[in-house]
Structures are given as C-alpha cells and as structure tokens.
Amino acid sequence: MISFPIYLDNHSTTRVDDEVIEAMLPYFNKIYGNPSSTQHKVGWEAEAVVESSRNKIAEILKCEPDEIIFTSGATESNNLAILGIALAYSSRGKHIITTAIEHPSVLEPVKFLAKNGFETTIINPEPNGIVSIDKIFSKIRNDTILVTVMTANNEIGTLQPVKEIAEHCVKENIFFHTDAAQAFGKIQLNLSDLKADLVSLSGHKTHGPKGVGILFMRKKNPRIRLHKILYGGGQEKGLRSGTLNVPLIVGIRKCFEIVCRDFEKNYSFIKSLRDHLLNGFLTFIDGTHVNGSMELRLINNLNVRFEEINSDMLYKRIKDIAFSTSSACASGKGEESSVLAAIGLSEEQIKSSVRFGLSKYNSFEEIDYVIQKFSEVIKDLRKK
Ligand code: PMP
C-alpha cells in the first residue's frame, strides 16, 4: 500500500527514524541537564551522554573524540571551517579555492571573504559535474591557505575526487575542507583514510534530527587552529559557544549508528530503486536525459531533464509526489539552479530538469507509480 505523497526529496531532508526519536525522548524531560553544569548530578548525566555520543561518533568516523565539534548543522560547520581558517591563518596567505557547485553555506562565506581582503578562485566543474583535479591543482599559489570541495553535490549527486585533492593539499601544506553533508551514509566515509583537515556533516540528511551537525577538525598532523565565529560561554573547547543541545546530539549519534549498522543493506536497496526509476524513465519517456555523471554519483540521486517539458508544469500536475527542481535553498527563492548552469546546461534545459532523492523508506511499488505518473503527464503535456 502506497501512502501519499510519495517522498522523493531526501536531499532536502529526511524522515526521522523511529529509533532516533525513541533514543532522543528521555533527554527532553528525564535527563535534561546542562552539560556545562559541573556542580551536580543532573549536569554530569547530561555531560556523560554528550561525551559518550562524541566517542561513538568518533569510532564510526574513525577519528578521535576531541576532533568532533557539535554544531547546529552543516551550514554552521561550513561557516566555522571556512571563516575559522581564514581568520586564524590570514598571516600565512589570503587565497582560497573552491568550486562553483558548492552549497550556499560554503559559497556565501567565501564571497564574504572575497569582499574583505581575501582572494578567491571558484572553479567550474566539467560537463559531467565532476571537478577536474588538475584545474584545482593549477590554481594553487604560494598564498593559498584553504581548498574547499564538497564530497557529493546536493543537486546532481556527483561525487568529487576529494581523496586525491586532500592528498595533494597535504603535500602542498594547504588546509583541505570538505562538505560531506550529502555523502555521509551513502558512501563509506573513513576520516583516517581521507586526509581532510575539516569535514562538515549534518544530522537531518540521514534520518536524524534537523538543527544538529558536526565539524571534524584534525588535531594531529597537522593540528588545526580555528578562529571562533560564535562568542559566549566557550563550550566545545571555546570554538562553539552555546548550551549543547543534548537531545539532538543523542539523535545524531543514533542516526549515525543506524547508518553504520544498515549500510550494506540500504546501499544496495536504494541503488536498485534509483536504477529502476531511471530505467523506467528511459523506457517510457522519450527525450529523457541524465544531468551529470551516472557512474560517479550518490546512489540515492537522480537528476534528469525531459525534453520540451517545463518542470513548473510537472509540479502543477503532479501533487502526490514530492520532488524538486533543484536544492531547497535555490528553489525556495525561485532562483534557477546555479549547479546546472555550471555544468553548461541552457536555460531551457535547466527549466526542464527535476531532482529525485530516494531513501530507505521508498519502495518499488512507489517507484512504479512515479514512472507511470510521469509518463502519463509528460505524454499529455506534449500533446498540447
Ligand atoms: N551542504 C550541503 C551539500 C547540503 O545539501 C546542505 C543541506 N541542504 C547543507 C550543507 C546545509 O546543511 P544543514 O541543513 O544541516 O545546515
């Protein structure tokens, strides 16, 4: 039995797992202390669960517990990483490299720095949505302090060569940051393998709660220093002031544990759903084209365009399926996707593009319904 609307907008956010909700509940009204209250048991209990969550997350990510900073989400993690490095290391250099397909929470702080005395190089991806390593390396200068490249794109799902970029940055003695908000849970992320200095993660992209994230910050070889961007009580070793949100920290820990426990099962299931969706579109809808590389792509992403179809018409006609044109951030503002423009699509091609983000909660029955609905509506629209 299908329950409507069918939710295929999992890059925007995901349904919180029931196990996550259950794990969080006692921390609202039973263990509700402030982890910074060091004089009594109520505070100690809260502190204990924050630290055990930090330990568990570090074990999953293969890093040290004191390399984990809890934040309010990947937006804050990206801001703290980029502004924090820029402010702490400006005496070493004032040049930053990034790509045109980053999330606004990377591009906006980079633009802010560009207006405030830094120089920035923004690299366009290749037409397949992957950034060329050589192009990045060719832009490195003596005064480059930071390279920031996302692990996976939130619109077209393309996977970037972050491992190679990170290794090169180590050789050049430049910091490397990656926004892995979309990638975590869909690729195996091992921070002892990836030579990144800073990695941003979010809770709500993998069936965890909204409003919580993580910044991994390397403590050894090299030991990273960041300038804080929030001033206050000095929590999280002075880097992130503000009372720690214990229920959300428990929630992100639980969803990371579930991701790890069910990785293999969900990976193959979601990939087969996504491939079924693509095959259905290619079989039943003439003029279907995939945007970006199909090989180097998140297993839960499909971004396609249908010739001669304006996606606005699809939204008007298809109300029982939740899908999107581009990222929630861009579509909320009615702006055209800068990611699709950066891979060289024309305005008309961008207008005919739609994004699907799948999850473990989807089913083959739902995907069959989606294929049938899209083919009927598109045939009808083309007749007019
Ligand atoms: N980076 C990427 C790639 C994202 O997709 C998102 C969420 N749209 C963010 C950062 C921001 O994450 P959060 O909502 O946790 O702030």
Side-chain angles (χ1 to χ4, degrees), residues 179-230:
D179 171 1
Q182 293 287 346
F184 178 73
K186 289 113 209 168
I187 62 160
Q188 293 279 17
L189 188 69
N190 177 335
L191 297 184
S192 71
D193 242 24
L194 179 68
K195 301 288 175 236
D197 298 299
L198 296 143
V199 179
S200 301
L201 296 165
S202 178
H204 72 107
K205 308 291 183 184
T206 47
H207 310 289
K210 296 168 188 58
V212 63
I214 284 168
L215 179 66
F216 159 79
M217 174 183 161
R218 190 170 291 285
K219 281 284 161 82
K220 257 201 323 238
N221 304 321
R223 181 183 178 86
I224 309 290
R225 268 185 308 118
L226 287 182
H227 198 288
K228 62 186 159 206
I229 57 170
L230 276 183

Side-chain angles (χ1 to χ4, degrees), residues 35-93:
S36 305
S37 300
T38 52
Q39 284 88 8
H40 51 71
K41 189 165 175 279
V42 185
W44 302 333
E45 281 175 346
E47 192 202 3
V49 74
V50 167
E51 293 318 314
S52 69
S53 299
R54 200 189 303 278
N55 289 342
K56 188 72 210 176
I57 290 168
E59 189 188 313
I60 291 168
L61 298 176
K62 303 207 170 36
C63 65
E64 295 300 320
D66 66 351
E67 294 179 313
I68 302 281
I69 303 166
F70 290 115
T71 66
S72 65
T75 296
E76 186 187 328
S77 302
N78 287 338
N79 274 267
L80 177 57
I82 294 163
L83 300 174
I85 285 283
L87 294 172
Y89 292 94
S90 59
S91 59
R92 232 199 237 184

